[in-house]
């Protein structure tokens, strides 16, 4: 594991600038969010490929749809709460239904947004976006995978939603690692005792948990489920067939996120006990990101206790 | 400019379109006949005189675009597209049926000639503005026309897009307001007043034109002026009547009643449209 800590959100601008150099038709649209997402830096390099529509998320999505309909390669970015929350109808009617290739990038999701509190700490975006047919949902766990996924979806001809975070994290993957595609999942620790599925910051907590569990002679298998939809079904099912139990960890509401996606997959194909480490049907609040992570139980320790519980109930 | 002969010809085309709209909605037992009839003349002028279109190559990049905001008026758009050759007229008779190419609201991937999906009120102006902004980088930017109902001006998202279009000086965008003064629950002014419209648009930096949306000369004149407008988007406030062309539908709408097109009502409507067209045709042939 490398030591430099960077957020997934920090991958956004470098990945776009990289594409902007070669791709004539690329466009980034922001809603007064460019200085927060870093998008305005892209705008300085490529002023003719950058637009800011002001504090107007509905207009952001509709403008993006219009650009996509003229064949441009569109990225639209804003804060998760407002991009998904305020403009949900526009996303549904003008991007998801016509299946337009618009890449929606949301920044500042989850409780690790910190001090801005519940209004900005979007915890329902994955469930809302997962519910829309035609939409791919991605939640990268480190800077390098985020960089790669942003580039991959640049070539992707379907609507995509990517959740990026602002919380600095160590790298899990090498810079040269290219093996990230929609529908993929990465088995990053092999084990036989319990399957741990995670996305975003919780992949890091799952790795910590796997370390602790190994000291307790419980061998955990950790899967980075960066593609929430489509889910890496074969990777997850192959794992639960070996382990007979599963934990799902995510910085998201327990309703409709990765947890329920995995539970649904498993119950339809190979039912095993599933335990959840997520946020129990409540909103966030102000605080330091680390404090909030602890307060809402989004920690390696919680993953360990969920893993032990799942293991005692395992399918034999 | 539209001369007298062209005026008559367009009226005859509009009559043909109106009859197909009545037939489609009658067959489907679904759809909004009054709302569709109010936009037929506007669409006829756009698709026969104004827009650069390529029915044999509906995705041609240099084509002008059209976005229908009032999705419930789509039978009129479908009939126009069929008569312009984007698809066979027989498709009209499957409108709204399971598996049909012609959905209850327009879908771009599904229907040749439909440049954008729509139906959710207040989305069309934003999509049209996005198209116009994207196309402005072309040497000869194609033009984008967007037709919305007047009730749609109550949507907040519409005004976000009106701001945007002026800010980016989208002179290749023409917004047409089908000013029929009615919305689902009653008259627009009684439900939620939108006047003074001209002052609102002007203060937002738009150039405002007025027209009679059932007079093809008046409407095409305003299109001509909008075409000469530089550095700002144009809006044409087009006065129209719900159910235009079929008197019993117009009367019912004025009283706030809904219309169910029975077999007899369909025949009555077709007869009235044909009779009016017959008069125009007589003059047209005599000339």
């Amino acid at each position: 594991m490398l030591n430099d800590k960077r957020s997934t959100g920090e991958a956004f601008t470098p990945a776009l600038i990289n594409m902007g150099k070669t791709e004539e038709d690329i466009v980034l649209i922001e809603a007064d969010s460019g200085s927060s997402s870093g998008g305005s830096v892209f705008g300085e390099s490529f002023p003719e490929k950058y637009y800011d529509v002001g504090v107007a998320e509905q207009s952001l999505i509709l403008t993006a749809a219009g650009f996509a309909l003229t064949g441009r390669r569109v990225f639209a970015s804003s804060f998760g709460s407002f991009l998904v929350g305020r403009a949900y109808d526009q996303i549904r009617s003008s991007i998801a239904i016509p299946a337009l290739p618009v890449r929606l990038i949301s920044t500042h999701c989850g409780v690790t947004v910190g001090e801005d509190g519940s209004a900005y700490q979007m915890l329902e975006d994955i469930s809302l976006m997962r519910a829309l047919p035609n939409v791919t949902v991605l939640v990268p766990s480190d800077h390098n995978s985020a960089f790669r996924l942003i580039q991959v979806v640049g070539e992707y001809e379907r609507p995509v939603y990517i959740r990026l975070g602002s919380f600095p994290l160590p790298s899990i993957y090498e810079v040269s690692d290219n093996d990230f595609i929609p529908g993929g999942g990465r088995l990053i620790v092999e084990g036989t005792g319990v399957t741990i599925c995670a996305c975003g910051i919780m992949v890091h907590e799952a790795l910590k948990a796997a370390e602790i569990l190994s000291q307790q002679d419980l061998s955990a298998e950790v899967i980075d489920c960066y593609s929430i939809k489509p889910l890496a079904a074969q990777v997850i099912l192959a794992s639960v067939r070996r382990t007979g139990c599963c934990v799902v960890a995510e910085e998201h509401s327990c309703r409709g996120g990765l947890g329920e996606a995995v539970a649904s997959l498993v119950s339809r194909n190979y039912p095993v006990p599933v335990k959840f480490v997520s946020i129990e049907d409540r909103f966030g609040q102000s605080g330091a990101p680390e404090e909030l992570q602890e307060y809402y139980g989004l920690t390696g320790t919680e993953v360990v206790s969920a893993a032990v519980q799942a293991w005692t109930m395992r399918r034999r | 400019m539209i001369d007298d002969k062209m005026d008559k010809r367009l009226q005859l085309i509009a009559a043909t379109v109106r009859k197909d709209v009545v037939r489609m909605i009658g067959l489907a037992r679904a759809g909004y006949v009054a709302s569709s009839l109010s936009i037929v003349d506007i669409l006829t002028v756009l698709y026969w005189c104004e827009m650069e279109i390529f029915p044999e190559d509906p995705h041609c990049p240099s084509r002008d675009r059209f976005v229908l905001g009032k999705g419930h008026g789509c039978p009129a758009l479908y009939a126009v597209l069929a008569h312009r050759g984007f698809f066979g007229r027989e498709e009209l008779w499957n409108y709204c049926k399971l598996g049909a190419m012609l959905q209850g609201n327009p879908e771009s991937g599904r229907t040749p000639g439909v440049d954008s999906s729509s139906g959710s009120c207040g989305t069309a102006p934003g999509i049209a503005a996005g198209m116009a902004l994207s196309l402005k980088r072309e040497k000869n930017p194609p033009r984008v026309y967007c037709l919305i109902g007047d009730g749609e001006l109550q949507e907040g998202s519409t005004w976000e897009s009106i701001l945007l279009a002026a800010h980016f000086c989208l002179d290749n965008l023409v917004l047409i307001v089908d000013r029929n003064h009615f919305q689902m629950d009653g008259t627009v002014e009684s439900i939620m007043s939108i006047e003074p419209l001209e002052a609102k648009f002007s203060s937002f930096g738009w150039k405002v034109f007025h027209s009679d949306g059932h007079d093809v000369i008046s409407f095409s004149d305003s299109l001509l002026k909008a075409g000469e407008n530089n550095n700002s988007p144009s809006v044409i406030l087009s006065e129209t009547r719900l159910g235009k062309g079929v008197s019993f539908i117009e009367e019912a709408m004025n009283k706030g009643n809904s219309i169910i097109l029975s077999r007899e009502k369909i025949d009555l409507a077709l007869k009235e449209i044909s009779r009016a067209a017959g008069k125009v045709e007589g003059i047209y042939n005599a000339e």
Side-chain angles (χ1 to χ4, degrees):
Chain A
M1 201 179 284
L2 309 168
N3 285 329
D4 59 322
K5 281 193 171 186
R6 284 181 294 177
S7 70
T8 52
E10 283 173 71
F12 181 44
T13 311
L16 275 188
I17 288 178
N18 213 22
M19 282 185 273
K21 287 175 191 159
T22 52
E23 309 295 334
E24 191 45 45
D25 55 357
I26 205 163
V27 174
L28 170 63
I29 314 176
E30 294 270 3
D32 200 36
S33 43
S35 57
S36 308
S37 72
S40 53
V41 178
F42 172 83
E44 284 159 20
S45 306
F46 305 100
E48 74 290 354
K49 296 174 182 173
Y50 179 76
Y51 298 90
D52 194 328
V53 301
V55 193
E57 290 78 14
Q58 301 175 88
S59 174
L60 169 74
I61 297 299
L62 298 172
T63 306
F67 271 83
L69 284 163
T70 59
R72 302 284 285 278
R73 202 176 303 210
V74 192
F75 285 80
S77 162
S78 188
F79 303 95
S81 296
F82 316 123
L83 180 82
V84 178
R86 177 168 292 132
Y88 193 63
D89 167 66
Q90 284 77 13
I91 294 173
R92 178 180 181 276
S93 62
S94 306
I95 290 174
I97 291 178
L100 293 183
V102 173
R103 297 101 191 142
L104 301 169
I105 312 290
S106 82
T107 59
H108 301 79
C109 290
V111 291
T112 48
V113 167
E115 288 75 2
D116 278 338
S118 54
Y120 279 73
Q121 292 165 354
M122 187 56 162
L123 298 174
E124 309 88 47
D125 56 320
I126 299 175
S127 34
L128 286 166
M129 295 307 292
R130 248 191 88 218
L132 293 174
N134 295 331
V135 179
T136 295
V137 179
L138 305 173
V139 183
S141 62
D142 80 344
H143 183 277
N144 294 334
S145 55
F147 186 93
R148 181 63 196 158
L149 282 167
I150 293 162
Q151 293 209 307
V152 167
V153 302
E155 306 291 329
Y156 199 59
E157 290 302 313
R158 308 280 289 173
V160 184
Y161 173 71
I162 304 186
R163 178 204 245 211
L164 299 177
S166 48
F167 193 57
L169 297 161
S171 296
I172 294 175
Y173 305 102
E174 299 291 335
V175 178
S176 56
D177 194 336
N178 280 341
D179 190 13
F180 300 95
I181 50 162
R186 290 288 289 266
L187 209 165
I188 44 180
V189 176
E190 287 189 38
T192 51
V194 56
T195 300
I196 306 174
C197 293
C199 63
I201 67 162
M202 292 310 289
V203 177
H204 300 260
E205 299 305 318
L207 289 172
K208 289 179 200 164
E211 283 278 339
I212 299 167
L213 289 165
S214 75
Q215 290 158 17
Q216 298 173 4
D217 285 336
L218 180 52
S219 123
E221 184 144 283
V222 178
I223 303 170
D224 178 359
C225 296
Y226 63 82
S227 177
I228 312 271
K229 185 187 172 190
L231 202 56
Q234 295 317 317
V235 179
I236 296 166
L237 287 173
S239 179
V240 298
R241 283 198 177 97
R242 284 195 292 275
T243 62
C245 60
C246 184
V247 172
V248 190
E250 59 184 326
E251 188 194 9
H252 186 270
S253 161
C254 61
R255 310 271 182 245
L258 176 65
E260 290 190 353
V262 171
S264 164
L265 171 79
V266 166
S267 71
R268 286 173 202 226
N269 295 281
Y270 188 81
V272 300
V274 182
K275 288 280 170 186
F276 305 100
V277 178
S278 53
I279 294 178
E280 277 299 323
D281 202 26
R282 53 186 171 157
F283 292 110
Q285 60 180 308
S286 292
E290 297 82 357
E291 287 172 346
L292 290 163
Q293 221 184 319
E294 191 74 37
Y295 181 86
Y296 287 99
L298 301 174
T299 59
T301 323
E302 288 295 325
V303 177
V304 167
S305 85
V308 172
Q309 285 175 44
W311 182 77
T312 57
M313 296 160 65
R314 71 193 177 279
R315 175 169 170 173
R316 293 164 207 259
Chain B
M1 275 301 284
I2 291 182
D3 60 17
D4 214 35
K5 192 156 183 171
M6 189 62 182
D7 174 26
K8 300 283 184 305
R9 191 179 154 230
L10 290 172
Q11 287 186 48
L12 291 175
I13 292 168
T16 310
V17 170
R18 280 201 162 83
K19 285 195 279 188
D20 275 354
V21 165
V22 169
R23 291 184 184 113
M24 284 168 78
I25 291 172
L27 265 175
R29 296 169 188 273
Y32 297 79
V33 67
S35 177
S36 303
L37 290 173
S38 78
I39 60 173
V40 169
D41 304 296
I42 291 171
L43 291 177
T44 303
V45 174
L46 285 174
Y47 277 86
W48 269 270
C49 301
E50 174 75 8
M51 286 167 56
E52 181 127 24
I53 52 168
F54 305 88
E56 66 295 338
D57 180 15
H59 297 293
C60 178
S62 65
R63 74 192 189 280
D64 288 337
R65 269 67 166 184
F66 177 75
V67 185
L68 180 65
K70 40 177 285 179
H72 283 156
C74 64
L77 176 63
Y78 295 154
V80 161
L81 292 175
H83 283 277
R84 281 308 261 122
F86 282 92
F87 48 81
R89 185 166 164 255
E90 64 281 1
E91 289 292 342
L92 300 179
W93 319 136
N94 294 323
Y95 161 65
C96 275
K97 300 231 163 67
L98 182 64
M101 177 210 273
L102 305 179
Q103 295 287 297
N105 277 286
E107 289 195 18
S108 53
R110 196 159 180 140
T111 310
V114 170
D115 290 319
S116 170
S117 297
S118 56
S120 169
C121 282
T123 57
I127 296 170
M131 285 177 168
L133 181 55
S134 180
L135 293 168
K136 250 188 95 92
R137 71 170 185 167
E138 310 285 325
K139 246 193 197 121
N140 294 307
R143 296 177 68 74
V144 181
Y145 300 86
C146 177
L147 173 58
I148 62 170
D150 43 7
E152 243 177 308
L153 288 161
Q154 293 161 348
E155 287 280 5
S157 58
T158 301
W159 293 95
E160 286 186 9
S161 307
I162 288 169
L163 270 178
L164 177 137
H167 178 82
F168 289 108
C169 309
L170 300 182
D171 51 13
N172 56 336
L173 175 67
V174 181
L175 182 66
I176 301 152
V177 179
D178 174 39
R179 189 79 174 104
N180 60 44
H181 300 271
F182 281 90
Q183 58 188 98
M184 296 295 275
D185 279 358
T187 64
V188 173
E189 285 311 290
S190 71
I191 303 289
M192 183 54 61
S193 173
I194 57 173
E195 288 291 353
L197 266 188
E198 175 162 7
K200 284 190 172 99
F201 273 102
S202 297
S203 67
F204 273 71
W206 284 57
K207 188 91 178 159
V208 184
F209 302 97
H210 296 268
S211 80
D212 176 341
H214 299 308
D215 178 336
V216 296
I217 292 178
S218 158
F219 181 63
S220 73
D221 274 355
S222 55
L223 282 173
L224 199 68
K225 287 176 197 149
E228 289 160 357
N229 180 33
N230 283 324
N231 291 322
S232 69
S234 300
V235 58
I236 302 176
L237 305 174
S238 285
E239 286 294 325
T240 59
R241 290 202 302 281
L242 278 178
K244 167 69 183 176
V246 181
S247 50
F248 70 84
I249 300 180
E250 283 188 51
E251 282 159 26
M253 291 298 125
N254 276 328
K255 288 179 190 151
N257 299 333
S258 58
I259 276 284
I260 294 165
L261 282 181
S262 61
R263 190 68 187 259
E264 295 71 30
K265 289 255 169 70
I266 294 171
D267 287 344
L268 201 63
L270 293 177
K271 264 185 200 148
E272 182 177 341
I273 299 166
S274 294
R275 212 167 34 242
K279 283 183 196 161
V280 176
E281 197 162 20
I283 303 165
Y284 183 71
N285 290 337
E287 283 170 357

